[in-house]
């Protein structure tokens, strides 16, 4: 069944709405939000992120490449992707881009700094990419709804420091995240059943392992270099194709 434009953009629109709401609440609570309350909100989102990650990772059990189990394929894609990410220093590159933008606009005042900081936080990361692709392919907005919750809570804290500039990051969310969702949606024309296609299942499962890394980071258990694993999302269908060919 062909997805409507609203189905493909449902998660992006929800994300924009929560950031707008969070900015409004942040302006109301500016300077009044205790640190312990902000911390407990993030921990709640972190626990929920772990649950979503486990649920997504279970898709690996449904994907097979020839005679090779999906869990093994996922492991290969994740390890190879992580090695490539570290070789290309993706994590450092993302951080470097953010720092350059911050330095370039430092003289623009708190409005500009808030806009840049929020845009980077809300749009740079695996949840943006994976969630938008999933939303555009299947209409499932679960990842983006989780991200929307986190972004909304983060917007409250950021707005209390930078002000209303944080709210204007909604323009970046709509353009960047919505664009990915619409582009991914065109794949539904070549994938007869995206929800059950082994390539999509494999990407979903690998992405779920990365979402688990995000949850671990939110809880402060350790520092998982999630950005370095981004190439694994591209390698997953290639690993599946190779396994099919070898079988």
């Amino acid at each position: 069944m062909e997805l409507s434009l609203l189905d493909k953009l449902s998660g992006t629109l929800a994300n924009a709405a929560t950031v707008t709401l969070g900015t409004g609440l942040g302006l109301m609570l500016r300077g009044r939000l205790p640190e312990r309350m902000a911390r407990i909100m993030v921990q709640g989102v972190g626990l929920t992120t772990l649950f979503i990650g486990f649920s997504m990772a279970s898709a690996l059990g449904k994907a097979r490449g020839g005679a090779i189990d999906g869990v093994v394929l996922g492991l290969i894609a994740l390890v190879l992707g992580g090695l490539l990410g570290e070789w290309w220093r993706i994590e450092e590159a993302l951080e470097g881009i953010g720092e350059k933008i911050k330095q370039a606009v430092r003289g623009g005042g708190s409005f500009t700094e808030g806009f840049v900081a929020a845009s980077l936080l809300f749009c740079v990361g695996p949840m943006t990419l994976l969630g938008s692709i999933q939303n555009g392919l299947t209409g499932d907005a679960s990842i983006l709804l989780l991200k929307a919750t986190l972004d909304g809570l983060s917007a409250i804290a950021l707005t209390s420091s930078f002000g209303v500039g944080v709210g204007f990051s909604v323009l970046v969310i709509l353009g960047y995240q919505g664009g990915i969702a619409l582009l991914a949606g065109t794949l539904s024309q070549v994938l007869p059943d995206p929800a059950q296609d082994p390539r999509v299942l494999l990407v979903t499962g690998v992405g779920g392992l990365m979402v688990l890394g995000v949850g671990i980071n939110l809880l402060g258990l350790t520092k998982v270099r999630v950005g370095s694993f981004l190439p694994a999302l591209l390698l997953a269908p290639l690993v599946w194709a190779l396994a099919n060919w070898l079988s």
Side-chain angles (χ1 to χ4, degrees):
M1 182 178 66
E2 180 68 21
L3 295 174
S4 68
L5 186 64
L6 182 60
D7 290 331
K8 297 175 182 178
L9 295 177
S10 57
T12 297
L13 295 175
N15 202 166
T18 57
V19 170
T20 302
L21 178 60
T23 301
L25 292 175
L27 290 173
M28 294 172 56
L29 300 174
R30 194 169 186 180
R32 300 188 181 92
L33 186 65
E35 182 182 350
R36 66 182 185 278
M37 295 180 70
R39 183 170 60 251
I40 200 67
M41 287 192 298
V42 174
Q43 287 178 346
V45 175
L47 291 172
T48 307
T49 302
L50 291 180
F51 172 77
I52 295 293
F54 279 119
S55 300
M56 291 176 57
S58 66
L60 292 175
K62 304 175 185 177
R64 294 186 66 86
I68 304 177
D69 189 77
V71 175
V72 177
L73 296 177
L75 174 62
I76 294 173
L78 196 67
V79 171
L80 291 179
L83 291 174
L84 281 176
E86 285 297 305
W87 183 27
W88 293 334
R89 304 183 71 84
I90 292 178
E91 192 94 359
E92 288 78 8
L94 293 175
E95 293 174 357
I97 292 172
E99 286 302 316
K100 288 181 180 178
I101 296 176
K102 287 180 182 179
Q103 292 173 8
V105 301
R106 182 161 294 175
S110 60
F111 179 95
T112 307
E113 289 187 9
F115 170 74
V116 172
S119 298
L120 291 172
L121 177 63
F122 301 156
C123 294
V124 176
M127 293 185 76
T128 299
L129 181 62
L130 182 65
S132 298
I133 291 175
Q134 185 182 53
N135 198 188
L137 278 176
T138 67
D140 183 0
S142 58
I143 300 177
L144 290 185
L145 290 178
L146 173 63
K147 178 180 176 294
T149 304
L150 174 60
D151 290 351
L153 295 174
S154 300
I156 297 175
L158 286 175
T159 303
S160 66
S161 299
F162 296 110
V164 71
V166 173
F168 283 80
S169 63
V170 166
L171 300 176
V172 181
I173 292 174
L174 291 173
Y176 176 70
Q177 193 166 285
I180 294 176
L182 291 177
L183 181 62
T186 61
L187 293 177
S188 62
Q189 300 175 8
V190 296
L191 297 176
D193 187 7
Q196 297 300 321
D197 189 281
R199 292 162 292 186
V200 176
L201 288 174
L202 195 57
V203 171
T204 299
V206 171
L209 296 175
M210 295 169 62
V211 170
L212 282 172
V214 173
I216 290 171
N217 288 342
L218 288 172
L219 293 175
L221 300 179
T222 186
K223 174 61 177 176
V224 180
R225 293 169 60 85
V226 180
S228 294
F229 287 114
L230 285 173
L233 296 176
L234 299 176
L235 287 178
L238 298 179
V239 170
W240 175 85
L242 179 61
N244 255 5
W245 180 75
L246 291 175
S247 298

